Amino acid sequence: MTRYWLMKSEPTCFSMADLEKRSQQIEPWDGVRNYQARNFLQAMQLGDLAFFYHSSCPIPGIAGIISIVKRAYPDKTALDISNPHYDPKSTPDKPRWVCVDVQLIKKFKQTVSLAQLKRQSIFSSMRLLQKGNRLSVMPITAEEWQAILMLV
DNA sequence: GCCAACGTTGGC
DNA sequence: GCCAACGTTGGC
């Protein structure tokens, strides 16, 4: 059974438009440095779908749909001392962080904005809208997924 | 730039 | 194990 997720990225760092330009429109989703988010990455199955969310930008919101095309594997950026996400506590023997590969499925013509989601009470229970929520990877229910697609 | 909320660190 | 201090996230 397909499961649904939401994955955040700051577009100045990596955007939907960036993914669109990649070879085969596939990219490792790396740099996650939060244990709860990491555990969600590890739970992802091939073919799971996710919303690509743009954060910390003029119009925060969902920019499109991506698919998990490679299950969790060690995140090499944690071992690279020159990488901003370098973590000295992660080692090749005991990698602490993981990434998955994602592939572009659909880029929305217009972002489904956070403001739009907030306008409808059906979304108020979403983890994304909970006060103080900062998780960069989170599950979405099938109902939430379908309801958001109606806004595209 | 501000600030609330959260996670992590480290002293005790 | 507690908790204050600090760094980060992310909307506004």
Side-chain angles (χ1 to χ4, degrees):
Chain A
M1 196 182 88
T2 305
R3 285 190 294 176
Y4 303 101
W5 308 92
L6 181 141
M7 301 167 82
K8 293 183 189 171
S9 176
E10 299 187 20
T12 52
C13 179
F14 184 73
S15 72
M16 193 50 144
D18 294 327
L19 178 59
E20 197 175 23
K21 290 181 221 143
R22 290 294 194 272
S23 155
Q24 294 184 276
Q25 302 184 326
I26 292 176
E27 179 79 359
W29 198 276
D30 53 26
V32 171
R33 296 293 179 269
N34 169 284
Y35 290 104
Q36 205 177 350
R38 180 201 65 181
N39 294 343
F40 286 137
L41 288 178
Q42 285 173 330
M44 290 178 176
Q45 305 288 337
L46 278 186
D48 279 2
L49 296 173
F51 286 131
F52 189 139
Y53 182 90
H54 283 170
S55 65
S56 295
C57 57
I59 304 180
I62 298 165
I65 297 172
I66 52 184
S67 169
I68 309 306
V69 294
K70 184 175 179 183
R71 295 192 60 198
Y73 60 99
D75 181 349
K76 279 183 294 192
T77 66
L79 307 175
D80 176 2
I81 197 161
S82 69
N83 191 287
H85 300 295
Y86 172 68
D87 179 1
K89 291 177 199 139
S90 191
T91 65
D93 286 349
K94 284 200 154 194
R96 172 175 299 215
W97 305 110
V98 300
C99 56
V100 297
D101 284 358
V102 302
Q103 182 170 35
L104 193 155
I105 297 292
K106 184 172 178 58
K107 177 173 182 267
F108 296 160
K109 286 205 180 79
Q110 279 191 307
T111 296
V112 175
S113 70
L114 178 63
Q116 266 178 285
L117 298 181
K118 284 184 171 170
R119 222 173 282 142
Q120 288 187 240
S121 58
I122 45 167
F123 297 119
S124 60
S125 58
M126 278 183 73
R127 203 187 279 240
L128 178 70
L129 300 194
Q130 301 310 305
K131 191 173 183 182
N133 168 67
R134 302 188 320 179
L135 258 191
S136 64
V137 179
M138 67 185 77
I140 297 267
T141 69
E143 292 73 23
E144 289 161 352
W145 181 271
Q146 296 301 334
I148 288 169
L149 287 184
M150 307 270 275
L151 301 179
V152 177

